[in-house]
């Protein structure tokens, strides 16, 4: 009797367990996917968020671009019970007009975003408000917003990140998009009974991001932009730029462009170009030192002889090419110092056309440096007709980007080596703290020691007594060359006498070059009616203001007159 | 009648007593599992809370870094120097370098 009762109870218990096991088998194995989906809908929420990217620093560790944590608020309007109260409470909290919020709450859309990019510190208060109002259809999503604390400083160089995709769209943000990480990702969040996110269950597409330290010095960048702003105000050009590069490493120290934009409000600007990289222009007389370098290497020039530079023009293949002055007789160095077109053409016509074009290509012209996204390569047509050689020697029928000009002039400054331009000082792994420093990339030796020595002497004279004398500094030695290129005017189907590109390219201090500088303007306007527009009158004067300010920032002692100025105080002596 | 039932129950109990080790083991395992579960959820909750605090602090740190950069912007400092303090760009003629 006893035994049978125990068996009955035991069988009942066993049977109950069996039912539970069968039921569990049904839930866990047979209908697993269905119930997983069911639970996910009830307790989990998949949220698409903009992921934070790596931070961009300048060379002094000042932040140029940072991802700031934010929150976005959205609602499902049809389920909001008391729209007026929600609008009123949210309006005071997120500081948005009551009417705007209310109108959004009355829209017939299924899903409405009330605010994006709010300060994350508001999240707690928003959650409390939602709890108080018992409006569970107000959604709060954590996100991030790219912020550029220095505003438009170096804007066109840094570029920007899309507000919706979180991906780099322009400039260095685009170039180093993979390294900086970011983009959008999905987070599977488990909610508690009140609908508040409880724990992160799964993270998808969350790429590792790196911080990037640039070679740009925001203080120099500011000085350069300040000088450029003044220049633009005075000359009202269509486009202008000042580029500062370290000729010994190829590091880009500052790059100020006009037009520029504030990446915080990139969507308000139509033009996001960085003309230093995206556009190519005719370099004008900036090409002449390279013609001379080739002539030196081909031994087709004598510095003791005077060359007849005509009566202000030269005719090649029946085409008359004008000079800006009647120079008559000039020595080879004077041809560069006073920038004689006829003299440069006379030299160029003696050169082997193949070697001449090879020289231009070897200096980096005609191909992109691949430093910036969407970079132009410039155009050189290898046309060996004398008239084409003549025009090429005065920089008139070929184009170069300002960065190519800067690197070619850096080669003169650093002893003849063409370097690859560089923006990156360090790439920092945020997790491990590992630092990667890119090495200096030497493309090749492109100028002989002899030609470098001669060009360095001549380019110093250009600034002291030649076409760039308006840019001469009282305290520092500068070497460089001015350039003026006539623009093609489609209206008259010829080169315009009114529209020019004006250039200055050079380096300072001339004795121990620390910076290469390129100053460019597209169609600068005359200040006085009779004024001659050219690199010497327009671009060179900018140099004077720039050099003293930059060198003072580095607390550099003047190198002119043996540093004499630095130790004297004229106001006291 | 009652006496018979008591005797019968006693016999049942003696029979059940034979399996007492099994029941104790079963209860111990269940209890341990329940305790472990509670502990697991407690630790998990703590991790979530700490992660939340960490995120909050990281966010604050980011905001402060952003503010520092904004306040130390050369543009802003330049404006203060020029407009409020009446400073002017340096003129090298007024600079004296002291050589050591």
């Amino acid at each position: 009797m006893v035994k049978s009762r125990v068996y009955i109870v035991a069988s009942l218990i066993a049977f109950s367990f069996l039912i539970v096991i069968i039921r569990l088998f049904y839930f866990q194995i047979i209908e697993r996917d269905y119930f997983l989906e069911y639970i996910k809908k009830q307790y989990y929420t998949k949220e698409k968020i903009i992921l934070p990217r790596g931070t961009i620093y300048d060379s002094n560790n000042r932040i140029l671009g940072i991802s700031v944590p934010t929150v976005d608020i959205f609602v499902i309007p049809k389920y909001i019970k008391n729209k007026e109260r929600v609008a009123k409470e949210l309006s005071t909290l997120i500081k948005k007009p009551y009417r705007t919020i209310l109108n959004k709450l009355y829209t017939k859309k299924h899903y409405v975003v009330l605010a994006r990019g709010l300060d994350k510190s508001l999240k707690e208060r928003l959650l409390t408000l939602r709890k108080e109002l018992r409006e569970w259809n107000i959604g709060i999503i954590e996100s991030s917003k790219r912020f550029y604390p220095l505003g438009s400083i170096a804007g066109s160089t840094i570029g920007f990140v899309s507000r919706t995709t979180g991906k780099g769209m322009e400039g260095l943000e685009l170039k180093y998009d993979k390294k900086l990480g970011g983009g959008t990702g999905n987070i599977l969040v488990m909610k508690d009974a009140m609908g508040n996110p409880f724990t992160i269950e799964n993270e998808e597409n969350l790429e590792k991001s790196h911080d990037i330290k640039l070679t740009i010095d925001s203080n120099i960048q500011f000085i350069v932009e300040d000088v450029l702003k003044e220049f633009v105000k005075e000359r009202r050009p269509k486009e202008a730029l000042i580029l500062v590069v370290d000729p010994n490493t190829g590091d880009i120290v500052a790059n100020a462009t006009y037009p520029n934009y504030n990446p915080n409000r990139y969507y308000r600007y139509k033009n996001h170009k960085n003309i230093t990289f995206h556009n190519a222009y005719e370099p004008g007389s900036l090409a002449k030192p390279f013609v001379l370098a080739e002539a030196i290497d081909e031994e087709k020039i004598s510095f003791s002889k005077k060359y007849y530079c005509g009566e202000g023009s030269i005719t090649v293949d029946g085409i008359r090419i004008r000079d800006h002055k009647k120079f008559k007789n000039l020595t080879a160095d004077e041809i560069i110092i006073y920038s004689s077109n006829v003299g440069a053409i006379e030299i160029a016509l003696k050169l082997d056309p193949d070697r001449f074009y090879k020289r231009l290509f070897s200096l980096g012209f005609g191909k992109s440096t691949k430093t910036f996204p969407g970079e132009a390569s410039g155009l050189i047509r290898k046309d060996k007709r004398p008239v084409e050689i003549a025009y090429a020697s005065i920089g008139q029928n070929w184009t170069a980007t300002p960065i190519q000009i800067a690197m070619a002039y850096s080669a003169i400054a650093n002893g003849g080596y063409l370097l690859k331009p560089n923006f990156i000082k360090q790439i920092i792994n945020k997790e491990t703290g590992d630092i990667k420093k890119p090495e200096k990339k030497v493309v090749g030796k492109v100028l002989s020691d002899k030609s470098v020595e001669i060009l360095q002497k001549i380019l110093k004279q250009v600034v002291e007594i030649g076409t760039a004398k308006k840019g001469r500094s009282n305290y520092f030695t500068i070497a460089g060359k001015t350039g003026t290129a006539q623009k093609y005017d489609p209206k008259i189907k010829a080169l315009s006498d009114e529209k020019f590109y004006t250039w200055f390219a050079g380096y300072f201090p001339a004795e121990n070059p620390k910076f290469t500088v390129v100053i460019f303007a597209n169609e600068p306007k005359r200040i006085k009616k009779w004024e001659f527009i050219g690199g010497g009158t327009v671009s060179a004067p900018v140099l004077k203001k720039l050099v003293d300010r930059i060198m003072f920032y580095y607390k550099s002692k003047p190198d002119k007159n043996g540093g004499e100025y630095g130790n004297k105080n004229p106001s006291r002596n | 009648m009652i006496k018979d039932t008591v005797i019968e129950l006693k016999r049942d109990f003696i029979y059940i007593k034979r399996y007492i080790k099994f029941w104790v083991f079963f209860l111990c395992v269940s209890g341990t599992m329940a305790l472990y579960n509670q502990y697991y959820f407690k630790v998990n909750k703590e991790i979530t809370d700490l992660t939340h605090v960490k995120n909050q602090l990281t966010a604050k740190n980011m905001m402060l870094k952003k503010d520092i950069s904004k306040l130390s912007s050369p543009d802003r400092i330049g404006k203060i120097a020029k407009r409020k303090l009446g400073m002017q760009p340096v003129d090298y003629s007024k600079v004296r370098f002291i050589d050591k």
Side-chain angles (χ1 to χ4, degrees):
Chain A
M1 184 63 190
V2 174
K3 239 181 185 178
S4 64
R5 268 193 209 168
V6 170
Y7 281 132
I8 288 166
V9 173
S11 333
L12 275 172
I13 291 169
F15 184 69
S16 312
F17 270 107
L18 193 71
I19 289 175
V20 170
I21 287 164
I22 290 168
R23 198 69 181 141
L24 277 175
F25 185 80
Y26 175 76
F27 285 137
Q28 301 278 359
I29 293 161
I30 299 172
E31 291 290 336
R32 184 175 180 273
D33 293 341
Y34 169 78
F35 282 106
L36 268 178
E37 276 306 304
Y38 185 78
I39 289 164
K40 269 186 189 174
K41 272 183 200 164
Q42 212 170 15
Y43 294 106
Y44 289 87
T45 175
K46 201 175 193 180
E47 289 180 355
K48 193 179 179 184
I49 58 158
I50 291 180
L51 302 170
R53 281 162 78 82
T55 305
I56 301 176
Y57 297 94
D58 82 339
S59 58
N60 305 317
N61 281 329
R62 185 178 279 147
I63 293 170
L64 298 177
I66 187 169
S67 286
V68 181
T70 57
V71 283
D72 299 343
I73 307 177
F74 67 91
V75 288
I76 303 168
K78 66 177 176 182
Y79 295 124
I80 298 291
K81 290 164 256 169
N82 190 343
K83 292 187 170 63
E84 279 72 18
R85 188 157 175 224
V86 168
K88 198 183 160 193
E89 296 287 346
L90 280 177
S91 136
T92 38
L93 193 61
I94 63 174
K95 291 182 183 78
K96 270 203 165 191
Y98 167 77
R99 272 279 143 211
T100 316
I101 298 175
L102 196 65
N103 287 344
K104 282 189 176 178
L105 290 177
Y106 274 107
T107 50
K108 284 179 182 170
K109 286 178 191 167
H110 177 67
Y111 172 96
V112 178
V113 176
L114 288 185
R116 272 191 201 281
L118 294 173
D119 194 328
K120 201 189 166 184
S121 59
L122 286 174
K123 193 185 170 186
E124 288 301 314
R125 289 161 72 190
L126 285 165
L127 288 172
T128 318
L129 179 72
R130 182 169 73 174
K131 204 172 166 185
E132 277 172 14
L133 298 175
R134 304 185 70 77
E135 295 281 7
W136 309 116
N137 288 294
I138 299 175
I140 299 149
I141 302 176
E142 277 190 35
S143 192
S144 80
K145 187 174 82 174
R146 199 67 166 160
F147 183 74
Y148 304 92
L150 306 192
S152 61
I153 292 180
S156 65
T157 305
I158 300 166
F160 55 86
V161 167
S162 162
R163 286 189 298 170
T164 45
T165 63
K167 283 275 172 197
M169 299 279 283
E170 277 292 346
L172 297 178
E173 289 275 24
L174 174 60
K175 172 87 182 169
Y176 298 102
D177 196 38
K178 276 191 180 170
K179 282 269 172 232
L180 288 164
T184 50
N186 294 316
I187 286 188
L188 195 63
V189 183
M190 192 179 181
K191 294 186 289 185
D192 64 13
M194 309 300 271
N196 298 325
F198 177 68
T199 180
I200 293 168
E201 289 291 310
N202 187 22
E203 296 175 349
E204 291 170 22
N205 313 328
L206 305 190
E207 289 167 10
K208 282 173 192 166
S209 62
H210 294 76
D211 289 340
I212 283 179
K213 193 169 168 182
L214 300 181
T215 54
I216 288 195
D217 181 328
S218 57
N219 290 321
I220 300 283
Q221 179 74 29
F222 170 69
I223 293 170
V224 168
E225 284 192 14
D226 202 33
V227 172
L228 185 72
K229 214 180 273 173
E230 222 174 282
F231 173 66
V232 167
K233 202 176 160 189
E234 195 179 77
R235 292 286 180 180
R236 291 172 288 113
K238 271 189 172 176
E239 294 167 323
L241 73 88
I242 302 177
L243 173 65
V244 182
V245 175
D246 182 339
N248 304 306
T249 58
D251 290 352
I252 295 165
V253 182
N255 175 34
T257 60
Y258 170 80
N260 188 19
Y261 59 88
N262 182 348
N264 289 316
R265 284 182 229 120
Y266 71 88
Y267 42 88
R268 290 191 186 172
Y269 299 83
K270 281 181 188 169
N271 184 359
H272 297 127
K273 267 190 176 181
N274 185 318
I275 59 164
T276 303
F277 301 94
H278 289 151
N279 288 5
Y281 308 94
E282 287 171 314
S285 300
L286 295 188
K288 287 173 188 168
F290 306 119
V291 175
L292 187 66
E294 182 56 32
I296 294 166
D297 290 347
E298 284 189 32
E299 293 179 343
K300 285 183 178 163
I301 192 102
S302 161
F303 285 89
S304 53
K305 188 181 143 188
K306 284 213 170 195
Y307 291 85
Y308 181 64
C309 295
E311 297 293 328
S313 70
I314 186 172
T315 305
V316 185
D317 288 350
I319 292 169
R320 190 168 158 257
I321 302 170
R322 283 183 300 162
D323 213 333
H324 59 96
K325 221 173 172 182
K326 292 175 184 175
F327 287 110
K328 294 189 176 170
N329 294 310
L330 291 175
T331 58
D333 37 7
E334 282 171 341
I335 286 170
I336 304 298
I337 294 169
Y338 301 110
S339 199
S340 165
N341 284 349
V342 177
I345 291 168
E346 290 279 10
I347 298 170
L349 292 176
K350 288 178 187 166
L351 302 175
D352 172 2
D354 283 322
R355 287 187 64 176
F356 171 61
Y357 281 115
K358 201 179 163 191
R359 167 78 62 171
L360 291 182
F361 283 116
S362 74
L363 283 157
F365 298 118
K367 57 178 177 242
S368 160
T369 66
K370 291 178 182 167
T371 313
F372 206 75
E375 193 181 322
S377 52
L379 183 71
I380 305 179
R381 278 175 296 159
K382 210 176 160 186
D383 194 328
K384 293 176 195 169
R385 283 180 300 163
V387 66
E388 293 299 329
I389 297 280
Y391 272 125
S393 69
I394 57 168
Q396 217 33 95
N397 65 351
W398 58 281
T399 61
T401 60
I403 189 68
Q404 288 170 344
I405 296 284
M407 298 328 287
Y409 271 79
S410 291
I412 302 175
N414 67 24
Y417 296 93
L418 183 72
L419 303 175
K420 187 178 172 359
N422 173 43
F423 268 117
I424 300 296
K425 201 171 181 183
Q426 290 176 352
I427 295 174
I428 306 141
N429 188 322
K430 276 161 105 179
E431 284 176 12
T432 60
D434 286 347
I435 295 172
K436 212 173 150 188
K437 288 180 190 173
E439 280 177 21
K440 177 170 110 175
K441 280 184 190 161
V442 181
V443 179
K445 171 103 172 150
V446 291
L447 294 167
S448 68
D449 291 342
K450 192 182 171 190
S451 59
V452 166
E453 196 188 326
I454 294 167
L455 284 178
Q456 283 183 346
K457 273 183 199 161
I458 294 173
L459 294 186
K460 253 173 84 176
Q461 293 299 304
V462 171
V463 182
E464 285 303 313
I465 55 166
T467 51
K469 64 184 175 193
K470 283 191 175 177
R472 187 175 56 198
S473 159
N474 289 329
Y475 308 102
F476 292 96
T477 52
I478 307 169
K481 179 78 189 79
T482 55
T484 312
Q486 287 172 279
K487 282 183 77 175
Y488 178 78
D489 190 345
K491 280 181 191 169
I492 57 168
K493 289 181 180 169
L495 294 175
S496 168
D497 285 332
E498 292 297 317
K499 296 171 182 175
F500 300 95
Y501 297 124
T502 65
W503 295 87
F504 174 85
Y507 53 88
F508 60 91
E511 298 305 328
N512 179 23
K514 282 184 180 159
F515 300 104
T516 300
V517 62
V518 174
I519 301 164
F520 166 80
N522 176 3
E523 282 189 40
K525 306 291 178 296
R526 285 188 169 88
I527 300 174
K528 288 161 191 162
K529 270 190 179 178
W530 46 265
E531 190 184 29
F532 171 77
I533 290 282
T537 53
V538 177
S539 292
V542 179
L543 188 68
K544 201 177 170 180
K545 298 170 193 169
L546 193 73
V547 173
D548 289 358
R549 281 183 75 178
I550 291 179
M551 294 310 276
F552 185 73
Y553 169 71
Y554 283 103
K555 305 284 179 288
S556 296
K557 193 179 158 187
D559 70 333
K560 221 170 186 180
N561 304 324
E564 192 189 330
Y565 286 107
N567 285 331
K568 277 189 178 176
N569 190 337
S571 61
R572 289 183 189 177
N573 292 335
Chain B
M1 178 72 180
I2 295 166
K3 205 180 171 185
D4 287 348
T5 316
V6 170
I7 291 164
E8 213 166 292
L9 276 172
K10 264 186 183 175
R11 274 185 199 159
D12 284 356
F13 186 70
I14 290 162
Y15 197 76
I16 287 166
K17 240 174 123 181
R18 278 191 210 162
Y19 296 96
I20 194 77
K21 280 180 189 166
F22 168 76
W23 291 115
V24 168
F25 175 75
F26 181 74
L27 283 170
C28 281
V29 169
S30 312
T32 313
M33 278 178 80
L35 282 171
Y36 174 77
N37 214 20
Q38 215 170 357
Y39 177 73
Y40 176 81
F41 274 104
K42 198 186 154 201
V43 170
N44 219 16
K45 179 86 173 57
E46 257 172 46
I47 290 169
T48 312
D49 288 347
L50 287 172
T51 311
H52 185 66
V53 173
K54 187 193 139 198
N55 287 343
Q56 292 269 337
L57 291 173
T58 312
K60 258 187 198 167
N61 189 18
M62 292 282 226
M63 298 300 281
L64 288 171
K65 272 187 184 173
K66 181 201 90 175
D67 289 344
I68 290 169
S69 286
K70 211 174 164 184
L71 292 171
S72 61
S73 153
D75 190 24
R76 181 182 161 271
I77 291 169
K79 273 178 191 162
I80 294 171
K82 279 182 195 166
R83 290 177 194 169
K84 284 191 182 170
L85 306 172
M87 293 169 98
Q88 285 174 345
V90 71
D91 179 354
Y92 257 103
S93 66
K94 290 171 185 162
V95 179
R96 189 179 166 83
F97 282 82
I98 303 161
D99 289 327
K100 282 185 181 175

